[in-house]
Amino acid sequence: MFWRRREQDDQHEEPEAQEPVDEAPAPAAPPTPTTVPRPARGRSGMGGLGLRSRPSGLGARLRAILGAGAATEETWEEIEEALVSGDVGAEATLELVDAARERYRRAGGRSGADARGALAAEIRERLERSGSGQFELGPAPSVILFVGVNGTGKTTTIAKLAARLRAEDRSVALAAADTFRAAAIEQLRIWGEQLGIPVVAQRAGADPGAVAFDAMAAAESRRLDAVLVDTAGRLQNKTQLMAELAKIRRVIERRLPDQPRHVLLVLDATTGQNGLLQAEAFSREAGVTGIVLTKLDGTAKGGVAVAVADRLGVPIQFVGVGEELGDLAPFDPGAYVDWLLAG
């Protein structure tokens, strides 16, 4: 059982007293989580993300546009339309196409394949420039705060990352700071039991800041490598909920300076440009340091990753490609571009 420590510091606002927290019982010898190592990138480029190729996607449309001849003014306009419809976004598309055209011209491009190559290189460079795919946990204890709206797969993503960390022999705890929904607390407890990972939790309706405080105390006392903190799924335009998120962050910072080390925004790739709006709001209010892009295995066009990384400079760190614990892959810019433009 974790118990919240009280600190008598009149200069700092600490959460009001709460009930003792619960900890999911950890078996004496927990089995290794069912995870998989980062998939080897296949010759097609899809293996790097574990994604299926999409012959009817953006790449197929670009192939039809480019054809075998040289890229003309009309060709580049059609490429712009294809990218916008693929959720890359108008602003990012214009910049990408202008840069790709210049690269194509400088290289003496003569074919549609040359134009596609120039476009792929520009997308990849923008993703790499933002630091995408370069996630480092950092020195212990490392606090990872997860934010996002309901329905993006946030709690499941936490379990997947926890499983990966456990597979790397890291000591991990989960913190159920989404106290607005009893189901969210129960879901995290179930994951904790399944993975053999302790869960810091309180009753539904408790102060989320108090849960965060307890989790930081646990990180110190148990010398944990990482604490993964779940938060309530809040819409980016809900001022009160965003303020609550800022409070959780303040509590963490007071207990452990320079934390949270990572603030990961979980985005549903199927939401398209609404995902960019979410990223802008959460970056402003919560200081997002990275993106986890989920549901890329479904109907997502996937172009929103380009818009987020390019416009906000926020790196894409992981992608969710399925429902299993092993279906969380470190983001690979090269493999992503291959998948996005596959035809």
Side-chain angles (χ1 to χ4, degrees):
M1 304 284 282
F2 291 137
W3 295 83
R4 183 167 63 87
R5 299 177 178 177
R6 294 174 178 252
E7 292 190 351
Q8 303 299 328
D9 187 348
D10 295 336
Q11 296 180 351
H12 298 298
E13 171 193 6
E14 299 295 0
E16 59 187 51
Q18 298 289 339
E19 298 175 357
V21 299
D22 293 334
E23 175 186 340
T32 302
T34 309
T35 61
V36 295
R38 183 176 183 172
R41 185 176 169 191
R43 298 180 66 180
S44 69
M46 306 307 160
L49 294 177
L51 293 167
R52 298 183 298 272
S53 110
R54 303 171 308 153
S56 61
L58 176 59
R61 184 172 178 184
L62 288 174
R63 179 170 295 183
I65 292 171
L66 293 168
T72 65
E73 182 69 26
E74 182 179 355
T75 302
W76 289 108
E77 290 179 359
E78 292 182 16
I79 291 174
E80 287 181 357
E81 294 177 3
L83 291 174
V84 170
S85 67
D87 286 341
V88 175
E91 183 176 343
T93 291
L94 292 176
E95 294 178 359
L96 275 172
V97 170
D98 286 346
R101 290 177 68 171
E102 179 60 21
R103 182 186 289 262
Y104 175 80
R105 184 192 63 78
R106 290 198 312 266
R110 297 183 177 182
S111 68
D114 292 337
R116 182 188 180 280
L119 179 63
E122 287 297 330
I123 295 175
R124 185 171 56 253
E125 284 185 6
R126 279 165 166 75
L127 292 170
E128 292 173 346
R129 190 183 308 149
S130 71
S132 293
Q134 301 177 17
F135 181 83
E136 295 290 342
L137 185 62
S142 183
V143 179
I144 306 176
L145 186 65
F146 286 80
V147 300
V149 303
N150 285 329
T152 59
K154 179 161 49 66
T155 304
T156 303
T157 297
I158 291 173
K160 290 178 179 179
L161 182 56
R164 288 189 69 92
L165 294 175
R166 279 297 303 272
E168 297 171 0
D169 294 325
R170 307 272 194 169
S171 56
V172 184
L174 309 180
D178 180 0
T179 61
F180 291 94
R181 293 188 307 123
I185 300 173
E186 185 61 22
Q187 183 182 6
L188 207 63
R189 280 176 170 154
I190 291 172
W191 278 120
E193 292 174 359
Q194 181 175 338
L195 297 171
I197 293 176
V199 176
V200 180
Q202 295 187 7
R203 57 179 171 77
D207 180 6
V211 177
F213 185 88
D214 289 340
M216 299 310 101
E220 289 184 306
S221 65
R222 295 199 169 198
R223 298 182 179 179
L224 298 173
D225 290 319
V227 179
L228 280 55
V229 183
D230 192 12
T231 62
R234 42 181 54 77
L235 295 176
Q236 67 270 20
N237 59 353
K238 297 297 184 181
T239 305
Q240 182 179 359
L241 290 176
M242 294 298 278
E244 186 68 37
L245 180 59
K247 177 184 176 183
I248 293 173
R249 178 159 186 156
R250 288 197 305 272
V251 169
I252 294 173
E253 290 171 346
R254 288 172 182 172
R255 182 76 198 207
L256 294 176
D258 301 323
Q259 298 289 347
R261 182 163 293 125
H262 301 284
V263 179
L264 298 184
L265 171 62
V266 182
L267 280 183
D268 180 344
T270 65
T271 60
Q273 285 300 291
N274 186 49
L276 178 59
L277 298 177
Q278 292 176 28
E280 289 175 333
F282 279 101
S283 294
R284 182 172 58 253
E285 300 294 337
V288 171
T289 62
I291 302 291
V292 179
L293 204 58
T294 63
K295 305 183 184 180
L296 274 179
D297 57 320
T299 60
K301 300 172 185 177
V304 67
V306 181
V308 170
D310 187 53
R311 184 166 170 179
L312 301 180
V314 177
I316 314 298
Q317 300 291 19
F318 296 95
V319 291
V321 295
E323 296 299 324
E324 300 299 323
L325 280 175
D327 293 335
L328 183 73
F331 186 77
D332 182 333
Y336 167 81
V337 172
D338 289 345
W339 172 79
L340 183 69
L341 303 184

